[in-house]
Amino acid sequence: MAAHIRRRLRKGATTTAVAAAAVAALAASQAPAAPLAEGATGGDQQAAGGESGGPEDGAATGNSPYYTDLPPLITPDRPGSSSNLPAATGSAEAGIPASVLAAYKQAERTVGTTDPACRLPWQLLAAIGKVESGQARGGQVDANGTTLSPILGPALNGQGFALIKDTDGGAYDSDAVHDRAVGPMQFIPSTWATWGQDANGDGRKDPNNIYDAALAAGRYLCAGGRNLAVAADLDRAVLSYNQSTEYLRTVRSWFAYYQRGTHEVPDGSGVLPTAPSTPTPSPTPTPSPTPGGTTGPTPSPSPSKPGGTKPSPSPSKPGDGSTSPTPTPTPPRPTPPPKPTPSPAETFGSLENAGTGPLTATAGGTFEERVSVRARNALGAPMAQLPVTFTITGTTGTLFDGGKKKVTVISKADGTATAPALKAGEKTGEFTVTATAGTNRPRTLTYEASVTARQADKIVRVGDKALVAASGEKFADAVTVKATHKGIAAPGVAVTATMVKDSLGLIDNDKGPYFKDADGKPLRTLDLTTGADGLLQLPEIFADENPGTYKLRLTTEGGGSVVIELTVQAPEETAPEETETPEA
């Protein structure tokens, strides 16, 4: 690692010449996918806007050294041209070792599941990995993704670097005096203690494992509700990793380079960066010497008006010897303490479905499924005590149990928040339930739901008296049926009554019994609805001049059906009277 460290910049050690050269090289290379955010163009600095994804006193890496190589220039010869840029895919620098590339892409998928609003691109992880460790020293990792030898930064002892005393007892960095940046993504131990992940499922959170380190870096970059598709958020994320604008520009350059194309190379065959030699740190300014040969503070500026120091105030009245009273100095207003930055465990990160199934119910019924979500913090762990608001949108009349369209539920220890049961309205159709959590950048989940028509899986005739009418007359007895659903009376169920020729109802009948419409005309199909007790009495039925046995079929929403026989009898024929023949 020593050979690599010599090629890395120290915090605060970037000279004007090197910075100018880096900026010029970046300007000549491909443009980043998103511009640098305003306010991120000065010297080394805190994260833009004061937002930090890590500890309050430093960045993920402790602002340790990093490679300053820029990717190969890929613009055409003509200055300023942006057309016909060759792809970076085939170049050696675009090759990423197989295990390292797989770790970046796995981290993108994992974060995309738990925090989709962050929109983490794996190419950003690749850019940081390139700048921090040369992609784990060119992919020097074993089959599980662990580096073949530790990748350690220099001791952060305050001599050219940040001063960070030991926080891990040397467990990760083998240094019990000062912390060192560790692993392919160069986490300092105190940051790893908060953000460490077990991405390869071996039961350990190992900063020397590229899978663990890549996922930890992804979650760290997404902290605070950042959306990395937004330029300002991406800049804040990178600056929170290492608080240097030169670092941001270098990472941005590699990010844009990898976005143009990469290819996989075997582990151990990646190209290591070569950077300019480390510049001498800028000297610390010393106080100006005083005329007497000693050092002292810089003298105060001269008075704004000629004539020297402003004299003391004149007496208020000539000759009385009195002077104006010296005004009582206003006590300085105490500086309010800085607002503490929430820890990652206290920062809301994402909202996900907690197993809610299909949401459907019949009109007037209760939904069997309840909408449930799970909140996670910035580390991806379940987050408790988070208010989640559920809102119903639609015109079906559906409400939560209790008669409300909006309710707020506090997440439990496992991060879940479950809305009250849904009560379906009387109108059929679609509606949505939206879950919302978070204040600065709310996360939302929307669930589709539907209300279907009331159903009856069975319909039967009430009574068994034969239904008979003479031709041209009406049936004396009314037809009454009852619809049920799972054995319970089914009110408000749509029922279709049709005169048919066959029991299956495949052929409608245009003869025999009929209903009447409002104008008294024959009607052989009616749409009806059961009453509150599931009962339905059909309108009067009339017989035409065609005697015979006919069928009336009734069907319901939900599959219930019944066929009822109707008999039309011919009028009785009267025999002619016999005439007696008189005897001769």
Side-chain angles (χ1 to χ4, degrees):
M1 185 63 183
H4 298 164
I5 294 301
R6 287 196 300 271
R7 296 197 294 271
R8 305 173 80 175
L9 287 182
R10 299 176 181 180
K11 177 187 178 185
T14 308
T15 64
T16 303
V18 172
V23 171
L26 179 60
S29 69
Q30 67 276 9
L36 292 174
E38 183 178 354
T41 56
D44 290 1
Q45 62 183 44
Q46 296 269 339
E51 181 180 333
S52 175
E56 295 179 15
D57 58 349
T61 65
N63 297 316
S64 61
Y66 53 88
Y67 292 110
T68 57
D69 287 32
L70 292 173
L73 303 182
I74 60 173
T75 54
D77 294 336
R78 181 166 62 87
S81 174
S82 61
S83 62
N84 300 320
L85 294 177
T89 306
S91 68
E93 288 285 359
I96 300 178
S99 293
V100 178
L101 181 60
Y104 296 150
K105 291 184 176 181
Q106 176 178 297
E108 179 192 62
R109 291 191 300 269
T110 301
V111 174
T113 299
T114 61
D115 189 5
C118 176
R119 301 176 69 181
L120 170 72
W122 67 262
Q123 292 90 342
L124 179 59
L125 297 175
I128 291 175
K130 180 73 170 180
V131 173
E132 290 293 344
S133 68
Q135 309 297 20
R137 291 178 178 165
Q140 297 288 338
V141 297
D142 62 19
N144 294 320
T146 303
T147 56
L148 299 180
S149 59
I151 301 177
L152 299 175
L156 299 175
N157 54 15
Q159 300 178 17
F161 310 115
L163 174 60
I164 303 179
K165 295 184 179 180
D166 176 67
T167 60
D168 68 330
Y172 292 120
D173 56 11
S174 302
D175 189 332
V177 179
H178 297 96
D179 271 351
R180 299 170 182 257
V182 180
M185 302 304 281
Q186 289 289 279
F187 278 95
I188 56 173
S190 57
T191 305
W192 184 260
T194 301
W195 291 90
Q197 303 287 313
D198 175 20
N200 65 348
D202 64 357
R204 298 180 59 233
K205 298 178 180 180
D206 185 0
N208 293 297
N209 182 276
I210 185 59
Y211 291 96
D212 294 357
L215 181 57
R219 295 204 188 284
Y220 183 93
L221 293 168
C222 289
R226 296 187 185 111
N227 177 359
L228 300 183
V230 176
D233 276 10
L234 188 143
D235 290 350
R236 291 187 183 97
V238 176
L239 286 170
S240 76
Y241 211 88
N242 192 311
Q243 297 168 355
S244 160
T245 301
E246 182 63 25
Y247 179 84
L248 171 62
R249 292 186 178 278
T250 307
V251 169
R252 276 285 207 158
S253 183
W254 280 107
F255 176 44
Y257 182 75
Y258 286 140
Q259 283 184 314
R260 292 185 56 79
T262 61
H263 60 274
E264 180 184 301
V265 298
D267 288 345
S269 64
V271 177
L272 288 174
T274 57
S277 59
T278 305
T280 303
S282 302
T284 303
T286 56
S288 302
T290 62
T294 61
T295 60
T298 303
S300 302
S302 300
S304 57
K305 294 183 179 180
T309 306
K310 185 177 181 180
S312 301
S314 300
S316 57
K317 293 182 180 180
D320 65 0
S322 63
T323 60
S324 301
T326 302
T328 303
T330 302
R333 181 176 297 176
T335 302
K339 186 177 180 180
T341 301
S343 69
E346 299 170 330
T347 302
F348 175 48
S350 63
L351 201 64
E352 62 186 39
N353 186 357
T356 305
L359 295 168
T360 183
T362 57
T366 300
F367 285 74
E368 293 183 1
E369 284 286 332
R370 293 171 64 181
V371 178
S372 183
V373 300
R374 177 174 284 105
R376 294 188 182 275
N377 61 23
L379 296 174
M383 187 171 189
Q385 298 301 309
L386 181 74
V388 180
T389 299
F390 298 90
T391 305
I392 298 173
T393 304
T395 59
T396 64
T398 300
L399 299 171
F400 290 113
D401 193 10
K404 297 182 178 180
K405 296 189 72 172
K406 180 184 288 188
V407 295
T408 298
V409 179
I410 305 300
S411 63
K412 298 187 296 185
D414 62 355
T416 60
T418 303
L422 290 164
K423 300 290 187 179
E426 291 298 331
K427 186 176 180 180
T428 62
E430 308 291 328
F431 68 96
T432 60
V433 180
T434 302
T436 306
T439 53
N440 295 333
R441 292 188 179 175
R443 301 287 198 268
T444 61
L445 280 179
T446 300
Y447 297 82
E448 301 291 335
S450 62
V451 176
T452 60
R454 292 174 181 266
Q455 298 183 353
D457 52 24
K458 188 175 183 180
I459 184 170
V460 296
R461 182 189 170 195
V462 177
D464 56 3
K465 186 176 180 181
L467 300 170
V468 180
S471 296
E473 303 292 335
K474 72 176 180 179
F475 287 81
D477 297 305
V479 177
T480 302
V481 294
K482 183 175 183 179
T484 57
H485 182 67
K486 297 182 179 179
I488 300 174
V493 173
V495 177
T496 300
T498 307
M499 302 296 177
V500 295
K501 290 184 177 181
D502 62 299
S503 297
L504 295 178
L506 300 177
I507 304 174
D508 292 351
N509 206 336
D510 57 358
K511 296 179 181 180
Y514 60 90
F515 305 104
K516 285 184 179 181
D517 64 13
D519 297 327
K521 296 180 180 179
L523 191 68
R524 290 186 166 85
T525 296
L526 281 180
D527 290 325
L528 306 164
T529 304
T530 60
D533 52 4
L535 293 173
L536 170 63
Q537 181 173 306
L538 274 62
E540 292 180 326
I541 302 175
F542 299 86
D544 66 6
E545 302 299 328
N546 299 287
T549 299
Y550 297 90
K551 292 180 174 61
L552 169 62
R553 188 170 188 263
L554 296 98
T555 58
T556 69
E557 289 281 351
S561 67
V562 63
V563 176
I564 300 171
E565 284 194 353
L566 302 172
T567 302
V568 178
Q569 293 180 338
E572 294 183 3
E573 296 182 3
T574 303
E577 293 183 3
E578 294 184 0
T579 303
E580 293 184 1
T581 303
E583 294 181 358

